[in-house]
Amino acid sequence: MAQVEKRVPGTERIQTVEMRGITKRFPGVLANDKVDFDVRAGEVHALLGENGAGKSTLMKILYGMYAPDEGEILINDTHVEIHSPTDAIQYGIGMIHQHFMLVETLTVTENVALGLPSSRGLLTDLDAVSKRIRELAQVYGLQVDPNAYIWQLAVGQRQRVEIIKALYRGADLLILDEPTAVLTPQEVDEFFATIRQMVAEGHAIIFISHKLHEVLAISQRVTVLRDGKRVASRETAGCTKADLARMMVGREIRVMPEKPPAQVGDVMLELRQVQAQSDLGTAGLKGVSLQVYAGEILGLAGVSGNGQRELAQVVCGLRPITSGRVLLKNEDVTGMLPGELTKRMLAYIPEERMKDAMIQQFTVCENIILRDHNKPPYAQRGFLRHNIIGEYTDKLIQYFKVKTPSRDTQARHLSGGNIQKVVLARELSRQPRVLVAAQPTRGLDIGATEYVHNRLIEERQKGTAILLISEDLDEILALSDRIAVIYEGKIMGVVNRQEATAEQLGLLMAGVKEELTPA
Amino acid sequence: MIEDLFSTTVLVGILASGIRLATPYLYAAIGETFGQRSGVLNLGVDGQMLLGAFAAFYVALTYQNLWLGILAAIIVGGLMGLAMAYVTVNLQAQQGISGIGFYLFGLGMSDLLFQKLLGTVETVRGFPSLYIPFLSDIPFLGDIFFRQNILVYLAYLLVPLAWFVMNKTTLGLKIRAVGENPEAADSLGVSVARVRYFSIILGGMLSGVAGASMSIALLNVFQQNMTSGLGFIAVALVYFGGWRPGGVLLGALLFSMVNALQLWIQVKGIQIPSDFAVMMPYVLTILVLVLAVQRVRPPSALTKPFERES
């Protein structure tokens, strides 16, 4: 067997891992402030906190990716130095990153074998590796074809490969960084079954999350981080969602935004049998038909990579349509460029806000007028009118509560939440009739998420037709009036929010169609 | 005169010289394949070839030993590779630009050394033709394939060898992983820097041999810019070959056959301007690249420097 059983002398299987007084400073940020954390064999210890609370930093220190400024790590009560992921792996620590560390053009087996010594010396021993993969898959319920290429696998399967990779390397402790973010509710159930199996086999699991119900469902203990400090560590049993939420954000939060009833008007955005290619040249959208009415939020649910990105780009004129039509307020706008759509009061909150919504090196002012920079009153005879632009920007900064040192600060210096506020300011201040919001709260903390949600609801009250694309099912359920589910470039069904359940949507997201009452 | 082309002697002659002319392309392009699969685009191939060609020629001439010449070309090419590796891996330079820099360095340096050390055009007695027993007696095929010099045979042996290393060894697995997703490889304890150093230096060595194959096996002279951009075609061949040794072989044969054909046209003095004849392989390069590039996807991390976050 080619499995690595190399351990630093004196260490056997991991019984306890303890981090003591960990402090990590980045320029201008105290990411971890004297944090204590420990995990034992046979338990799931959840690490809970908002984005930027220091969860990932703490775990990257444990995995040898960052060096702590202060503090020490003990395995089985012995002090250890972990300088690199290789060290961590040798101590029996494995980490499943949020962004999978897989080579797409290699097979499952090749990915697992990569970097390991081979039993055949210089030659690869892929047959032996794939045999062992099947064994592991059997024990832990991680079904995956060892000979499949990674690019052929769905996200949930890729995650299984990551777990197999760690187990194959003899990991006793698995760090799971927001593992459920990419899964459907059904996949989450399967995944939890795997975790329970691993715990039963004596593995220790660290489960990083900001989803309260999952933490409650799977963990035995929970540690909450806030602003780099440990707020609390306690047994999960006996905690409630409200307790955890309060600890996490330091105040009461409203989990679900309240929403007045919809005042639905005419069809503002319509897609008729739209087909478009994906980046890889394969069929990305396979005949999508949708209607979005004024004054409603249509939520588009689906697992990542099922055509959401293509759909948003098609509507916003960023991706050519191979067949079908797009209509804005009954006008055929198929094939129109973004500039022409802008004139027709279409607004767009792109998924990749740092890349597609902003020019990072531009100031807040310049980003605010990106769409209208060549029109009066911001420009006259080709000259920008800085005073007017500045005053206008100041007004928006105030109204949209953007935290920025000044209007002349470059966008790249702003936090994710504030960048999103600038995007909202630019897009919403133009009083759009149709708004496409793609993953508008991804990567934002609870405060900023709440802000964005409220703005979207406000926009809905003004009568804007909103297409909300999100992979966060909770978000879809909280905001939408109707919910469409996309799977492999097709709409699986559209349901009214009142009639929708997470389970039913989960099935649709997994491509399982059942009888639904059409909305 | 065109009908001459269809006489067997002419055809055999063209095919045999096509097989022979593919030699430098093969060494250079197989070497470049390793570099690119590891994620590094080395545009300095032509410069490495020129320096290798000169080193081999000079050493072979001085010491009257061809294999010592090959060794010199390997060392010089390897050193050029080492420099390229330092600039791209450690200094994280923009690869396209630094590669052109290395090309110009090799072009100028080889000419300078030639002027200072030799000054006049001389010739060496290069590697002789090696008749493979029995096989070389097969009619036509023997002439085409089995009466070549040793460097030609080695070039063709390099193709399956490169395939084997790339696909059947742990080293090859690392090279492919590093060129596709260096973060993933790094997270598994694979040293991205070491793998890239290895691949670029190997590429440099093979480029050196490619140059040597011209100066002491095919042409047996050295002159300024004797490769006339052949190294760039080798880079193009890697794209054409879809980053696979077998594809590279196909491309190398295609180009060298066209080259052999145009040489024959020139010799025959067929009434098309010789400039057009000389252009043929280059025009073909562009055409083929336009068609080929849409076909396969390059290694994802090609030209991207890797830096571990900290």
Side-chain angles (χ1 to χ4, degrees):
Chain A
M1 189 165 56
Q3 190 181 355
V4 174
E5 287 294 359
K6 189 171 157 195
R7 286 289 152 79
V8 174
T11 60
E12 53 289 341
R13 252 193 100 110
I14 289 179
Q15 296 304 322
T16 61
V17 172
E18 202 181 338
M19 304 178 79
R20 280 191 197 156
I22 300 289
T23 297
K24 176 71 183 174
R25 297 179 196 91
F26 291 116
V29 189
L30 187 58
N32 285 151
D33 186 5
K34 300 194 189 67
V35 177
D36 296 328
F37 183 80
D38 74 288
V39 62
R40 297 186 282 261
E43 73 162 353
V44 177
H45 192 154
L47 189 55
L48 184 67
E50 290 195 74
N51 288 300
K55 301 171 299 207
S56 289
T57 305
L58 187 68
M59 287 304 114
K60 282 180 174 173
I61 288 171
L62 182 55
Y63 195 57
M65 295 171 78
Y66 294 152
D69 296 319
E70 288 163 34
E72 63 166 346
I73 299 172
L74 297 96
I75 295 179
N76 300 346
D77 300 321
T78 312
H79 173 90
V80 292
E81 294 286 336
I82 300 175
H83 297 295
S84 69
T86 319
D87 289 350
I89 292 166
Q90 289 187 347
Y91 280 114
I93 300 171
M95 181 160 179
I96 313 298
H97 299 269
Q98 216 172 337
H99 303 284
F100 296 149
M101 294 286 189
L102 295 169
V103 185
E104 293 203 8
T105 51
L106 300 184
T107 64
V108 171
T109 309
E110 286 176 322
N111 268 281
V112 173
L114 181 62
L116 289 177
S118 160
S119 59
R120 291 168 65 205
L122 292 178
L123 304 183
T124 50
D125 57 346
L126 296 179
D127 290 341
V129 176
S130 92
K131 191 164 158 261
R132 174 82 184 128
I133 290 175
R134 285 181 214 276
E135 287 167 20
L136 286 171
Q138 193 76 41
V139 174
Y140 295 100
L142 295 161
Q143 287 319 313
V144 66
D145 175 9
N147 298 321
Y149 284 93
I150 300 299
W151 59 264
Q152 297 172 316
L153 302 182
V155 187
Q157 292 173 302
R158 293 184 191 201
Q159 187 170 56
R160 283 176 226 157
V161 178
E162 282 285 34
I163 295 172
I164 289 173
K165 232 167 73 182
L167 292 173
Y168 193 95
R169 284 166 168 71
D172 297 326
L173 166 64
L174 272 124
I175 305 165
L176 308 170
D177 191 358
E178 307 217 356
T180 57
V182 294
L183 304 179
T184 64
Q186 281 77 13
E187 283 178 317
V188 170
D189 290 343
E190 283 174 36
F191 177 67
F192 279 2
T194 299
I195 290 185
R196 291 195 182 98
Q197 180 62 32
M198 290 193 286
V199 169
E201 300 264 335
H203 288 87
I205 308 275
I206 299 173
F207 183 85
I208 306 177
S209 182
H210 58 230
K211 290 188 182 164
L212 305 175
H213 60 272
E214 290 181 353
V215 168
L216 290 172
I218 193 72
S219 70
Q220 280 79 51
R221 284 195 296 157
V222 54
T223 290
V224 182
L225 292 186
R226 190 170 73 224
D227 298 330
K229 293 191 187 64
R230 187 179 75 158
V231 181
S233 277
R234 56 177 67 169
E235 303 284 323
T236 311
C239 288
T240 64
K241 259 193 197 181
D243 295 338
L244 294 178
R246 204 179 311 112
M247 287 191 277
M248 194 158 85
V249 293
R251 63 191 161 89
E252 293 285 346
I253 55 154
R254 201 173 47 184
V255 180
M256 280 265 263
E258 278 164 31
K259 191 172 69 164
Q263 305 286 323
V264 178
D266 299 337
V267 178
M268 296 300 286
L269 170 67
E270 185 173 2
L271 283 81
R272 287 187 193 157
Q273 289 299 323
V274 168
Q275 300 192 12
Q277 289 192 333
S278 74
D279 288 341
L280 295 172
T282 54
L285 296 177
K286 306 168 187 168
V288 168
S289 297
L290 274 182
Q291 293 178 325
V292 189
Y293 294 85
E296 75 157 354
I297 296 179
L298 176 74
L300 186 73
V303 178
S304 166
N306 275 292
Q308 293 96 320
R309 214 168 75 84
E310 288 82 358
L311 182 63
Q313 291 177 338
V314 153
V315 173
C316 298
L318 297 165
R319 182 177 290 269
I321 296 174
T322 47
S323 83
R325 311 238 64 95
V326 178
L327 291 88
L328 268 188
K329 213 184 174 194
N330 295 324
E331 182 193 5
D332 191 337
V333 297
T334 315
M336 277 196 190
L337 296 172
E340 298 167 278
L341 294 168
T342 297
K343 283 188 206 138
R344 286 162 179 79
M345 290 302 152
L346 174 85
Y348 179 34
I349 301 172
E351 177 175 345
E352 304 226 18
R353 67 185 76 96
M354 298 301 252
K355 206 171 115 243
D356 297 336
M358 283 269 144
I359 298 176
Q360 292 192 40
Q361 284 76 9
F362 275 23
T363 63
V364 173
C365 274
E366 289 165 332
N367 273 301
I368 286 283
I369 57 152
L370 267 188
R371 273 198 197 265
D372 294 313
H373 65 275
N374 54 353
K375 296 189 197 102
Y378 313 118
Q380 214 164 33
R381 290 180 220 96
F383 289 97
L384 290 172
R385 299 171 72 194
H386 287 287
N387 291 340
I388 292 177
I389 295 169
E391 281 164 27
Y392 176 66
T393 305
D394 280 342
K395 223 162 66 188
L396 289 185
I397 286 175
Q398 208 185 358
Y399 184 73
F400 283 86
K401 302 191 177 71
V402 183
K403 269 190 221 154
T404 171
S406 84
R407 66 194 190 200
D408 296 318
T409 305
Q410 287 184 12
R412 65 195 169 99
H413 296 303
L414 270 53
S415 73
N418 283 300
I419 284 193
Q420 194 68 318
K421 286 181 185 175
V422 173
V423 177
L424 286 170
R426 178 179 72 219
E427 300 297 318
L428 301 186
S429 64
R430 305 179 63 256
Q431 295 172 351
R433 284 196 290 235
V434 175
L435 171 67
V436 178
Q439 317 287 356
T441 62
R442 175 187 277 177
L444 301 187
D445 62 31
I446 289 194
T449 300
E450 207 180 332
Y451 177 91
V452 172
H453 286 171
N454 287 332
R455 285 286 173 196
L456 290 179
I457 291 171
E458 204 178 289
E459 207 51 37
R460 164 181 174 266
Q461 293 318 108
K462 287 186 195 160
T464 310
I466 301 176
L467 175 61
L468 168 70
I469 301 172
S470 176
E471 286 154 24
D472 182 347
L473 197 49
D474 296 333
E475 177 171 84
I476 292 275
L477 287 167
L479 293 178
S480 310
D481 299 300
R482 289 186 305 140
I483 300 170
V485 179
I486 192 165
Y487 174 76
E488 291 194 339
K490 281 192 214 123
I491 300 295
M492 295 299 289
V494 183
V495 281
N496 282 323
R497 167 64 186 95
Q498 287 84 353
E499 293 140 26
T501 63
E503 289 65 35
Q504 169 203 34
L505 292 174
L507 283 173
L508 289 173
M509 283 160 69
V512 182
K513 200 155 189 169
E514 50 167 14
E515 285 308 306
L516 287 172
T517 27
Chain B
M1 270 195 251
I2 269 290
E3 50 273 20
D4 285 358
L5 184 56
F6 301 106
S7 80
T8 34
T9 4
V10 170
L11 208 56
V12 165
I14 290 175
L15 289 176
S17 76
I19 291 285
R20 190 166 59 247
L21 288 175
T23 308
Y25 293 111
L26 280 174
Y27 285 114
I30 294 286
E32 177 74 7
T33 303
F34 276 92
Q36 292 203 13
R37 282 305 278 270
S38 81
V40 180
L41 172 71
N42 177 10
L43 284 183
V45 176
D46 210 55
Q48 295 174 336
M49 285 178 66
L50 283 167
L51 275 175
F54 177 77
F57 183 78
Y58 181 72
V59 169
L61 192 68
T62 311
Y63 298 98
Q64 292 299 313
N65 185 330
L66 293 168
W67 289 107
L68 215 54
I70 296 288
L71 183 67
I74 290 176
I75 292 172
V76 167
L79 287 175
M80 285 285 282
L82 181 69
M84 177 78 188
Y86 180 72
V87 166
T88 50
V89 176
N90 296 74
L91 305 182
Q92 315 209 335
Q94 217 283 332
Q95 291 172 11
I97 304 300
S98 60
I100 289 173
F102 278 105
Y103 158 64
L104 292 170
F105 171 80
L107 176 65
M109 195 64 176
S110 60
D111 189 38
L112 177 71
L113 290 172
F114 173 65
Q115 304 288 351
K116 289 287 167 198
L117 295 176
L118 296 174
T120 54
V121 175
E122 297 187 60
T123 59
V124 289
R125 195 203 286 269
F127 282 99
S129 293
L130 195 68
Y131 286 34
I132 308 278
F134 309 116
L135 292 177
S136 59
D137 298 329
I138 304 172
F140 309 127
L141 294 182
D143 281 325
I144 295 171
F145 293 109
F146 302 112
R147 296 182 180 192
Q148 310 281 7
N149 68 64
I150 180 86
L151 287 193
V152 178
Y153 298 128
L154 289 179
Y156 285 90
L157 283 180
L158 189 61
V159 176
L161 185 68
W163 175 86
F164 185 81
V165 170
M166 202 69 93
N167 294 296
K168 294 290 168 188
T169 67
T170 52
L171 176 69
L173 183 59
K174 284 182 202 170
I175 292 173
R176 285 183 286 146
V178 161
E180 202 63 44
N181 188 345
E183 288 78 18
D186 182 59
S187 78
L188 295 175
V190 174
S191 166
V192 175
R194 212 182 299 166
V195 170
R196 286 192 172 166
Y197 259 86
F198 172 86
S199 303
I200 302 166
I201 291 173
L202 178 68
M205 289 174 166
L206 289 173
S207 293
V209 177
S213 75
M214 297 181 78
S215 68
I216 63 172
L218 296 179
L219 306 174
N220 303 330
V221 293
F222 181 85
Q223 42 184 291
Q224 188 209 11
N225 194 20
M226 70 184 292
T227 55
S228 53
L230 192 153
F232 287 96
I233 295 195
V235 175
L237 285 179
V238 177
Y239 281 78
F240 171 78
W243 292 269
R244 287 178 180 83
V248 166
L249 171 66
L250 206 70
L253 280 175
L254 179 66
F255 282 101
S256 54
M257 288 299 170
V258 172
N259 226 341
L261 182 68
Q262 68 93 3
L263 284 174
W264 177 79
I265 289 174
Q266 283 194 67
V267 170
K268 274 294 191 183
I270 286 174
Q271 316 79 316
I272 57 167
S274 65
D275 298 317
F276 280 108
V278 175
M279 256 187 245
M280 277 166 62
Y282 301 92
V283 171
L284 192 65
T285 313
I286 295 170
L287 282 181
V288 152
L289 272 184
V290 169
L291 298 174
V293 159
Q294 296 165 349
R295 200 161 44 90
V296 256
R297 210 175 49 80
S300 301
L302 186 59
T303 75
K304 291 188 190 121
F306 171 71
E307 190 176 22
R308 191 185 278 173
E309 59 170 331
S310 65

